[in-house]
């Protein structure tokens, strides 16, 4: 990987006033061992930051090579020390206060040694402006737009029962599960009694059958817990029953194509060469002046180590973990974790949720996706407090994580979704921004990755100076 202290040739542009963001992006390579990454920021529907750097294939290999196993295992926000570095306006280095610590499996194998990535040296292919990346659970935020847009168009009742659209789903005591429960992680089926194999997980049939038959582990609607893997089959089958289309096709036809987004749920074979290879990176050791790295609370660590806990079982709904560099995985339509996108596409997507895009390829609302009422629903709190799976407190709207200690974004009105390993994308309507950071260097933890948080702080600093 690009070792701590490495100098990487950062490419791209920033608008006047956003220079701190460029500095923070470059510093991620020097301070946090970044491999390859991109960051894009939209403000008022226009792109104001577009940065990329490092290596697309840091180990000299291309997509399809083994070595990156899937699943968003691990969450930050459970550190012993109080206060989350990313949630304040502090522009200082956060260190690793957002890391979750050891979750038993880091979700991505591969060489974590120093590869000296500096834009493709030593046979390593450089990250370019059009490099796309597997973004893991960032996909959930893109996928959540589908049921909300279906509701906006009068095709889906968020307060209706899932079994109204999918009769088989009511088996096992799930007859009262509402669509909004599904989106807010309140369904009670984050685990599978019989996990799926990687082949079954992507065949389009086994997953929906399994979650339909699964008995909930809590009474639906009474609690919430992160449906890390099962969200894929819950949402994809609901959308198919309502629309007659797969969720990947719906996103392509109704969102990506009209907005001109390089974003796929089900990567076409002809786009495979654009995708960076993901691999694990180890967190740099904290400088002595910062003291020891913060570790997760005992209850969090124990949950990840206990094979019978909901935590371990939720992330093991696919066993063994899939290889996320495998072309078959990239071609699958897994809305919980399998999206492939550029940072540009994700930032543009979130900008389109909250306001018009002057250059959109559609006349519908000037490119704006969410009507005001839909935007309000997306970021209104549906679930909050102790998460039955992630153990720490989390907050969810309808399909989106909301700003808070477990998932710090720009401010109280921000909504979006992180992906395990580091990627983060969100919108903030009050600040009028769409934010997207993608990386191929996977670190432990679902949320509050220090690289993403450094960029959040830099954006906050830039906006404050511009508005002063």
């Amino acid at each position: 990987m690009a070792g701590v202290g490495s100098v990487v040739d950062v490419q791209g542009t920033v608008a006047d006033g956003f220079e701190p963001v460029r500095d923070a992006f470059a510093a991620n390579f020097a301070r946090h061992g970044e491999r390859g990454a991109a960051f894009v920021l939209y403000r008022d529907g226009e792109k104001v930051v577009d940065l990329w750097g490092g290596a697309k294939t840091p180990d000299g290999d291309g997509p399809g090579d083994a070595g990156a196993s899937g699943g968003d295992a691990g969450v930050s926000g459970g550190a012993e020390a109080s206060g989350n570095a990313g949630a304040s306006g502090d522009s200082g280095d956060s260190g690793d206060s957002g890391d979750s610590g050891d979750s038993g499996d880091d979700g991505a194998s591969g060489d974590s040694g120093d590869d000296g990535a500096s834009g493709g040296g030593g046979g390593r292919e450089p990250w370019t402006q059009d490099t796309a990346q597997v973004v893991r659970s960032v996909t959930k935020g893109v996928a959540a737009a589908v049921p909300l847009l279906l509701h906006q168009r009068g095709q889906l009742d968020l307060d209706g029962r899932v079994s109204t659209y999918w009769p088989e789903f009511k088996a096992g005591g799930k007859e009262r599960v509402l669509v909004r429960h599904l989106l807010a992680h309140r369904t009670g089926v984050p685990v599978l009694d019989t996990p799926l194999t990687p082949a079954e997980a992507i065949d389009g049939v086994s997953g929906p059958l399994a979650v339909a038959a699964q008995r909930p582990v809590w009474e639906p609607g009474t609690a919430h817990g992160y449906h890390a893997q099962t969200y894929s089959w819950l949402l994809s089958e609901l959308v198919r029953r309502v629309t007659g289309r797969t969720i990947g096709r719906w996103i392509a036809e109704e969102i990506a194509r009209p907005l001109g987004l390089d974003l796929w749920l089900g990567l076409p074979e002809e786009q495979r060469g654009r995708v960076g290879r993901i691999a694990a990176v180890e967190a740099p050791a904290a400088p002595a002046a910062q003291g020891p790295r913060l570790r997760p609370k005992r209850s969090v660590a124990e949950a990840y180590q206990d094979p019978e806990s909901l935590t371990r079982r939720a992330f093991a709904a696919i066993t063994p973990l899939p290889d996320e560099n495998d072309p078959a995985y990239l071609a699958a339509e897994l809305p919980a974790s399998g999206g492939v996108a550029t940072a540009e596409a994700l930032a543009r997507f979130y900008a389109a949720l909250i306001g018009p895009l002057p250059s959109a390829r559609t006349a519908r609302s000037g490119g704006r996706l969410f009507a005001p009422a839909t935007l309000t629903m997306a970021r209104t709190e549906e679930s909050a407090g102790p998460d039955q799976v992630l153990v720490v407190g989390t907050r969810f709207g309808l399909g989106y994580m909301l700003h808070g200690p477990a998932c710090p974004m720009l401010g109280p009105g921000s909504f979006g979704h992180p992906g395990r390993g580091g990627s983060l994308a969100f919108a903030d309507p009050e600040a009028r921004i769409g934010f997207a950071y993608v990386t191929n260097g996977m670190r432990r933890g679902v949320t509050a990755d220090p690289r993403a948080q450094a960029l959040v702080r830099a954006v906050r600093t830039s906006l404050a100076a511009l508005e002063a």
Side-chain angles (χ1 to χ4, degrees):
M1 69 177 185
V4 177
S6 297
V7 176
V8 171
D9 185 16
V10 170
Q11 304 289 320
T13 59
V14 296
D16 290 345
F18 288 94
E19 293 83 2
V21 180
R22 180 180 57 207
D23 295 341
F25 184 78
N28 278 342
F29 290 89
R31 297 179 182 174
H32 296 302
E34 186 72 273
R35 284 178 175 267
F39 177 73
V40 173
L41 184 74
Y42 270 71
R43 187 187 189 207
D44 293 325
E46 300 285 358
K47 185 164 53 177
V48 293
V49 178
D50 186 3
L51 298 170
W52 64 93
K56 168 186 170 186
T57 53
D59 297 308
D61 300 314
D65 297 303
S69 54
D72 284 347
V75 67
S76 53
E80 302 252 3
S82 62
N84 191 299
S88 70
D90 181 6
S91 60
D93 194 305
S94 67
D96 288 311
S97 60
D99 251 6
S100 66
D102 189 357
S103 63
D105 188 290
D106 66 7
S109 60
D111 182 9
S112 61
D114 189 311
D115 65 25
S118 59
R124 295 174 177 86
E125 187 176 353
W127 193 295
T128 65
Q129 189 174 20
D130 69 347
T131 295
Q133 189 58 56
V134 179
V135 294
R136 291 184 163 178
S137 281
V138 170
T139 313
K140 289 182 173 78
V142 176
V146 179
L148 290 172
L149 289 171
L150 290 173
H151 173 77
Q152 182 172 290
R153 299 177 187 183
Q155 297 176 256
L156 179 65
D157 181 2
L158 298 178
D159 290 310
R161 296 183 179 183
V162 173
S163 60
T164 299
Y165 306 98
W166 179 4
E168 299 89 336
F169 185 75
K170 64 185 177 182
K174 302 190 299 298
E175 62 276 357
R176 295 183 181 275
V177 174
L178 306 181
V179 173
R180 69 172 57 249
H181 292 157
L182 189 157
L183 295 177
H185 297 267
R186 304 181 71 82
T187 304
V189 288
V191 304
L192 295 178
D193 291 337
T194 303
L196 302 182
T197 67
E200 291 170 334
I202 65 175
D203 67 17
V205 176
S206 301
L209 287 174
V211 292
Q214 179 67 40
R215 181 172 293 278
V217 293
W218 65 76
E219 183 181 347
T222 63
H224 80 283
Y226 188 49
H227 289 51
Q229 303 280 22
T230 57
Y231 190 85
S232 278
W233 311 302
L234 292 167
L235 185 56
S236 61
E237 186 64 11
L238 176 64
V239 170
R240 189 184 71 81
R241 296 291 180 121
V242 172
T243 69
R245 289 184 275 180
T246 67
I247 189 169
R249 179 182 168 191
W250 203 99
I251 289 171
E253 294 176 349
E254 304 290 342
I255 296 176
R257 194 172 302 158
L259 294 177
L261 306 181
D262 287 338
L263 182 159
W264 304 274
L265 185 56
L267 183 73
E269 184 176 359
E270 64 270 19
Q271 300 293 341
R272 194 179 300 164
R274 297 178 58 183
V275 181
R277 180 185 186 279
I278 65 172
V281 294
E282 294 296 326
Q290 292 184 354
R293 290 184 59 205
L294 300 180
R295 305 305 298 170
K297 293 179 180 177
R298 184 175 301 277
S299 59
V300 178
E302 290 174 348
Y304 282 111
Q305 294 170 9
D306 179 3
E308 299 303 316
S309 71
L310 292 183
T311 308
R312 281 291 292 272
R313 291 177 63 201
F315 292 111
I318 305 174
T319 299
L321 294 172
D323 174 7
E324 293 170 281
N325 291 317
D326 183 354
Y329 183 89
L330 298 175
E333 298 184 18
L334 295 175
S337 59
V340 176
T342 62
E344 151 73 22
L346 290 168
R348 186 173 172 82
F349 163 77
Y350 274 101
L353 291 186
I354 64 174
L357 295 175
S359 56
R361 303 173 190 170
T362 176
R364 180 185 292 155
S365 301
R368 177 170 180 161
L369 291 176
F370 282 173
T374 307
L375 176 59
T376 297
M377 287 189 295
R379 60 185 184 137
T380 296
E381 184 178 278
E382 294 279 332
S383 298
D387 189 297
Q388 300 298 306
V389 170
L390 297 180
V391 182
V392 299
T394 56
R395 298 179 65 229
F396 288 94
L398 288 175
Y400 294 96
M401 273 195 171
L402 305 180
H403 173 79
C407 186
M409 300 182 214
L410 190 67
S414 301
F415 68 102
H417 218 288
R420 186 190 184 274
S423 296
L424 174 66
F426 66 85
D428 190 289
E430 285 69 37
R432 311 183 307 281
I433 67 159
F435 173 113
Y437 160 71
V438 303
T439 177
N440 62 10
M442 301 291 107
R443 294 179 58 166
R444 296 181 187 272
V446 173
T447 68
D449 183 277
R451 297 164 296 176
Q453 289 306 303
L455 293 166
V456 170
R457 291 192 299 274
V459 168
R460 186 183 294 118
T461 297
S462 297
L463 293 174
L466 288 168
E467 295 170 0

